[in-house]
């Protein structure tokens, strides 16, 4: 979850640091106080599009930094960190974005510089922002099939894994067939290139690990004098004038002669004797090494020339001799394929037909599981919509599948044979429409909340942010939205900008955003409200003007009702998890 957010010189924000907690955090304040600016900052932190307009007037740059703590070890951010070589400690991730006054954008993850694209990848795993004016993953039809697969992760992921295995094999076969069936001119050109490369590699007569062995031998020759001197000095220390071995032998003799006085001395004498014989053998080896060492400048020249040739080939065929030999084997195989093109094409065509049938059967099984998942999802979504007073709405998962008859032309892709779209009709008699074409903002807010409630625990994001998604609703619908947002906060941290007192009353943490003017400059301030201040803010949201005792009593009643409702929801959630 997002635990700390620091913003400096961003729009009307001078410098603020906000601490966030688990559960539902509500941000309220007058229009124009800077609530949405804070969400804009978080969006930039998640890889959103930046602009020099965000830099505070007179400042050189705008800085945004967010600290996220991810306790779930299976969260995709850990695999992402390994992929990009980003270190982390204590499950903490710090995202930082700097936008300079001249338009440059600097991105960091845990202090490591990254591209905006990489920052966006991290942001997608951590934050999901939804507002009235913005299309999110749930509104993106390309994401619908992924969301459906997340709904039944265990069953669908297993079937998808089996399908992908056959699909990858099929793709490889098709690639080989396409490469081999190019026109005659391209094939002849390819054959000439391969034969040239094969001849060059054969002429080199490469040996496995030859480069490593030559590097080691070159190092010995270059440092010959130092190695010879070290061996000579070590040998003399043990067997020469310094008589190291003689002193060890003397120590052993002295102890042995007096071992009758103490059994422990006898043990030490035997131990030294073992060391003596080991050192004696080592001294013999050192002597042999000295005698066999010869400096050969001609050999060094040969090695340099050979390494230069190998390094020249490495630039073309692989970073190691082993890789070049592997590439050479692939060349030989491809040349053989081209020379026997017709027979190989027939063989590949037969393999493609067989693999297509296998892949299709796995895709069909995946399709059937998705159909069952879609049926269950529709039922769950309808239950959620009823809670939000859209009981007459109809939700549907539409499949646009390839042909389902084996033997017909089959179009397979990485997700099988399915394309999935979420459709909805909000009133009886109206046709099903794409989510993006739902007319009413209030209806769209409720539909999005229903979907969020279902997918919050599956999407994996640690923080869900709602920016005034409750616009255009009131009364019992407002209360239903408040309850639904609170339920989402039990699965993921939720940050919510709202003008509805019903939503604010459900908050675990209530923060007030205020705009202040000092020295002819406007700044935004964030205050975490205590219970009495929260009552005043709720009363202001109810009346919109002067606080009255009636409004204050109503605010206290709302908080009391919200507390009872939250306790009831928590008990039901805990019972369901058991």
């Amino acid at each position: 979850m997002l635990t700390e957010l620091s913003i400096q010189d961003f729009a009307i924000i001078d410098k603020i640091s906000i601490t966030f907690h688990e559960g539902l955090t509500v941000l309220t304040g007058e229009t124009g106080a800077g609530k949405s600016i804070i969400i804009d900052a978080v969006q930039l932190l998640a890889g959103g599009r930046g602009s020099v307009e965000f830099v505070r007037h007179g400042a050189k740059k705008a800085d945004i930094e967010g600290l996220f703590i991810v306790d779930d070890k299976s969260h995709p951010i850990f695999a992402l960190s390994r992929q990009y070589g980003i270190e982390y400690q204590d499950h903490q991730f710090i995202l930082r974005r700097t936008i300079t006054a001249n338009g440059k954008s600097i991105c960091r993850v845990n202090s490591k510089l990254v591209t905006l694209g990489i920052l966006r990848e991290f942001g997608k795993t951590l934050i999901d922002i939804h507002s009235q004016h913005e299309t999110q993953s749930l509104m993106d039809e390309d994401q619908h099939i992924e969301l459906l697969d997340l709904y039944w992760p265990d069953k669908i992921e297993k079937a998808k894994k089996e399908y992908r295995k056959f699909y990858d094999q099929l793709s490889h076969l098709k690639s080989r067939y396409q490469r081999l069936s190019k026109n005659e001119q391209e094939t002849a050109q390819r054959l000439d290139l391969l034969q040239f490369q094969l001849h060059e590699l054969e002429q080199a007569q490469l040996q496995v690990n030859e480069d490593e062995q030559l590097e080691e031998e070159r190092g010995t020759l270059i440092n010959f004098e130092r190695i010879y001197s070290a061996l000579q000095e070590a040998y003399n220390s043990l067997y020469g004038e310094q008589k190291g071995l003689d002193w060890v032998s003397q120590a052993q003799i002295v102890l042995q002669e007096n071992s009758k006085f103490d059994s422990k001395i006898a043990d030490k004498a035997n131990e030294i004797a073992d060391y003596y014989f080991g050192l004696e053998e080592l001294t013999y080896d050192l002597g042999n090494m000295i005698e066999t060492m010869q400096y050969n400048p001609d050999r060094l020249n040969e090695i340099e020339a050979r390494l230069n040739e190998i390094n020249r080939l490495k630039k073309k065929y692989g970073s190691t001799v082993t890789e070049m030999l592997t590439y050479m084997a692939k060349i030989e195989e491809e040349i053989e394929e081209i020379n026997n093109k017709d027979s190989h094409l027939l063989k590949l065509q037969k393999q493609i037909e067989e693999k297509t049938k296998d892949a299709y059967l796995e895709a069909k099984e995946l399709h059937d599981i998705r159909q069952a998942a879609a049926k269950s999802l529709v039922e769950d979504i309808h239950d959620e919509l009823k809670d939000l007073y859209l009981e007459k709405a109809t939700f549907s998962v539409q499949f646009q599948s390839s042909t389902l008859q084996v033997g017909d032309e089959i179009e397979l892709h990485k997700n099988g044979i399915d394309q999935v779209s979420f459709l909805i009709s909000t009133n009886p008699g109206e046709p099903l429409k794409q989510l993006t074409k739902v007319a009413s903002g209030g209806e769209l807010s409720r539909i999005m909340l229903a979907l969020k409630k279902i997918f919050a625990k599956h999407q994996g994001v640690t923080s869900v942010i709602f920016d005034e998604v409750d616009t255009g609703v009131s009364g019992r619908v407002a209360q239903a939205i408040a309850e639904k947002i609170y339920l989402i906060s039990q699965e993921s941290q939720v940050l919510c900008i709202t003008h509805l007192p019903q939503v604010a009353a459900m908050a675990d943490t209530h923060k007030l955003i205020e705009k202040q003017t000092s020295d002819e400059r406007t700044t935004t301030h964030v205050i975490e409200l205590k219970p009495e201040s929260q009552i005043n803010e709720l009363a202001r949201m109810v009346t919109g003007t002067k606080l009255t005792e009636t409004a204050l009593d109503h605010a206290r009643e709302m908080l009391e009702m919200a507390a009872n409702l939250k306790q009831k929801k928590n008990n039901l959630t805990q019972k369901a998890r058991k």
Side-chain angles (χ1 to χ4, degrees):
M1 69 173 187
L2 175 62
T3 61
E4 195 79 25
L5 177 67
S6 297
I7 306 172
Q8 184 170 351
D9 292 327
F10 183 78
I12 63 171
I13 295 175
D14 180 14
K15 184 177 181 180
I16 60 172
S17 182
I18 312 172
T19 300
F20 293 103
H21 309 284
E22 292 181 346
L24 173 58
T25 297
V26 163
L27 287 76
T28 65
E30 297 286 354
T31 300
K35 302 184 297 298
S36 292
I37 291 175
I38 293 174
I39 302 304
D40 288 340
V42 176
Q43 190 168 28
L44 284 175
L45 201 61
R49 183 176 297 178
S51 168
V52 294
E53 300 298 324
F54 285 123
V55 181
R56 184 172 167 82
H57 178 68
K60 293 181 179 180
K61 61 181 181 178
D63 274 313
I64 309 159
E65 187 174 81
L67 169 63
F68 296 83
I69 297 179
V70 184
D71 293 324
D72 182 4
K73 295 180 180 179
S74 63
H75 194 279
I77 197 169
F78 294 105
L80 205 59
S81 298
R82 289 190 292 271
Q83 179 182 343
Y84 291 112
I86 293 174
E87 298 181 353
Y88 57 87
Q89 290 183 340
D90 300 326
H91 296 213
Q92 295 184 0
F93 294 87
I94 298 175
L95 273 57
R96 184 171 183 178
R97 180 89 177 266
T98 300
I99 299 175
T100 65
N102 59 9
K104 291 184 178 179
S105 183
I106 303 167
C107 309
R108 289 183 174 87
V109 177
N110 283 0
S111 299
K112 182 175 180 178
L113 283 169
V114 297
T115 64
L116 180 59
I118 293 175
L119 181 71
R120 190 176 293 120
E121 287 188 57
F122 277 86
K124 284 172 63 177
T125 70
L126 293 169
I127 305 167
D128 185 20
I129 301 175
H130 173 60
S131 70
Q132 286 280 47
H133 313 290
E134 190 172 359
T135 300
Q136 293 294 306
S137 60
L138 288 173
M139 301 290 284
D140 183 358
E141 285 197 358
D142 291 338
Q143 297 293 320
H144 290 177
I145 192 167
E146 299 295 337
L147 291 171
L148 178 61
D149 290 352
L150 281 172
Y151 179 69
W152 271 9
D154 295 336
K155 295 179 181 178
I156 292 180
E157 202 55 42
K158 182 179 179 182
K160 190 191 289 188
K161 187 176 181 181
E162 281 299 308
Y163 166 74
R164 286 270 176 90
K165 181 174 68 176
F166 287 99
Y167 176 74
D168 290 343
Q169 293 170 354
L170 177 61
S171 298
H172 177 67
L173 289 171
K174 285 182 175 180
S175 177
R176 286 179 60 190
Y177 186 91
Q178 186 178 13
R179 186 179 69 242
L180 195 58
S181 60
K182 290 179 180 178
N183 63 49
E184 293 295 330
Q185 184 179 359
E186 289 182 353
T187 302
Q189 291 173 348
R190 177 68 177 170
L191 183 60
D192 285 344
L193 174 63
L194 293 174
Q195 288 175 335
F196 170 80
Q197 292 178 339
L198 179 61
H199 177 72
E200 189 172 33
L201 287 169
E202 286 177 338
Q203 287 289 102
Q205 296 182 339
L206 298 169
Q207 302 296 320
V208 177
N209 298 327
E210 181 183 0
D211 50 346
E212 297 176 7
Q213 294 168 2
L214 289 173
E215 291 281 1
E216 184 177 353
E217 188 178 353
R218 182 178 67 170
T220 300
L221 289 171
I222 289 174
N223 297 285
F224 180 85
E225 290 186 9
R226 297 182 65 178
I227 296 170
Y228 185 85
S229 296
L231 290 171
Q232 191 70 52
E233 187 175 345
Y235 180 82
N236 289 335
S237 296
L238 292 169
Y239 199 70
E241 294 180 359
Q242 299 180 44
K243 298 182 178 180
L245 273 177
D246 290 348
W247 287 112
V248 175
S249 177
Q250 182 62 29
Q252 188 269 338
I253 291 169
V254 171
L255 291 177
Q256 191 65 47
E257 288 175 349
N258 293 277
S259 60
K260 59 185 177 182
F261 302 116
D262 191 333
S263 60
K264 292 180 181 178
I265 291 180
D267 293 338
K268 296 301 179 185
N270 292 332
E271 191 173 343
I272 289 178
D274 291 337
Y275 288 133
Y276 175 82
F277 293 126
L279 285 170
E280 189 177 43
E281 185 176 349
L282 177 60
T283 303
Y284 177 79
D285 291 340
L286 290 174
N288 284 337
M289 289 179 69
I290 292 169
E291 289 179 3
T292 57
M293 281 193 72
Q294 290 183 350
Y295 179 68
N296 185 348
D298 292 336
R299 176 57 182 163
L300 180 59
N301 292 333
E302 290 175 6
I303 291 173
E304 292 288 2
R306 181 61 173 169
L307 284 173
N308 286 337
E309 174 65 9
I310 290 174
N311 289 330
R312 184 185 69 81
L313 293 173
K314 281 182 178 180
K315 293 177 182 178
K316 299 167 68 174
Y317 304 120
S319 60
T320 65
V321 170
T322 302
E323 286 184 10
M324 289 193 285
L325 290 172
T326 302
Y327 181 69
M328 183 176 168
K330 288 176 66 177
I331 289 175
E332 291 174 331
E333 182 181 347
E334 189 173 348
I335 289 174
E336 194 275 332
E337 278 188 349
I338 293 174
N339 288 330
N340 298 279
K341 177 179 175 180
D342 293 339
S343 61
H344 277 288
L345 282 174
L346 289 172
K347 182 179 178 182
L348 282 171
Q349 188 173 5
K350 185 177 181 181
Q351 289 176 333
I352 288 171
E353 290 173 357
E354 292 175 352
K355 195 62 67 176
T356 298
K357 291 178 182 178
D358 292 338
Y360 171 76
L361 291 174
E362 295 295 335
K364 179 63 169 63
E365 184 176 347
L366 178 58
H367 168 79
D368 292 341
I369 296 173
R370 281 186 177 133
Q371 289 274 22
K375 183 178 179 181
S376 177
L377 174 61
V378 167
E379 293 175 358
D380 283 351
I381 292 293
H382 282 157
D383 289 341
E384 296 293 335
L385 292 176
K386 286 177 185 177
D387 294 340
L388 292 166
Y389 300 102
L390 282 172
E391 60 274 359
K392 294 182 180 180
T394 302
F395 178 83
S396 175
V397 179
Q398 183 181 72
F399 284 80
Q400 295 178 349
S401 301
S402 304
T403 177
L404 300 182
Q405 297 297 321
V406 177
D408 292 345
E409 187 67 25
I410 300 170
E411 183 183 351
L412 297 169
H413 49 80
K414 68 175 183 178
N415 284 317
I417 54 176
D418 298 316
Q419 293 180 347
V420 172
S421 299
F422 294 163
L423 305 178
I424 193 154
S425 170
T426 54
N427 295 299
E430 289 186 358
L432 291 164
K433 301 177 184 178
Q434 297 173 344
L435 294 181
T436 51
K437 295 181 180 179
V438 175
S440 164
E443 288 174 340
L444 181 59
S445 296
R446 284 179 279 170
I447 293 164
M448 294 302 296
L449 281 173
L451 292 168
K452 289 282 187 184
K453 172 61 174 59
I454 296 293
F455 292 116
K457 62 183 178 182
H458 297 305
Q459 284 182 288
V461 292
T462 64
S463 303
V464 179
I465 299 175
F466 295 111
D467 185 5
E468 299 186 10
V469 295
D470 47 27
T471 301
V473 298
S474 59
R476 63 176 189 171
V477 174
Q479 182 59 41
I481 285 179
E483 294 175 22
K484 197 64 64 179
I485 290 176
Y486 178 75
L487 287 174
I488 294 172
S489 73
Q490 293 183 307
E491 299 292 348
S492 303
Q493 178 194 43
V494 172
L495 312 180
C496 180
I497 292 178
T498 183
H499 290 287
L500 290 179
Q502 293 94 330
V503 175
M506 295 293 289
D508 298 308
T509 306
H510 190 153
K511 294 184 183 291
L512 176 64
I513 316 298
E514 290 184 329
K515 183 169 62 175
Q516 299 177 1
T517 303
S518 177
D519 297 329
E520 298 184 352
R521 292 301 301 270
T522 302
T523 58
T524 293
H525 296 270
V526 180
I527 304 168
E528 187 168 317
L529 299 182
K530 295 181 179 179
E532 193 59 38
S533 300
Q534 188 179 10
I535 291 171
N536 291 337
E537 174 63 9
L538 284 177
R540 182 198 64 76
M541 295 174 73
V542 171
T543 62
T545 55
K546 181 180 176 182
L547 294 183
T548 64
E549 195 58 42
T550 301
L552 291 170
D553 289 341
H554 184 40
R556 292 188 188 96
E557 185 180 359
M558 288 180 69
L559 284 173
E560 185 177 345
M561 290 176 61
N564 293 334
L565 188 59
K566 285 160 68 174
Q567 184 62 49
K568 183 179 178 181
K569 298 284 185 185
N570 291 341
N571 292 339
L572 289 173
T573 301
Q574 291 175 3
K575 185 180 292 185
R577 286 174 178 170
K578 290 180 181 179

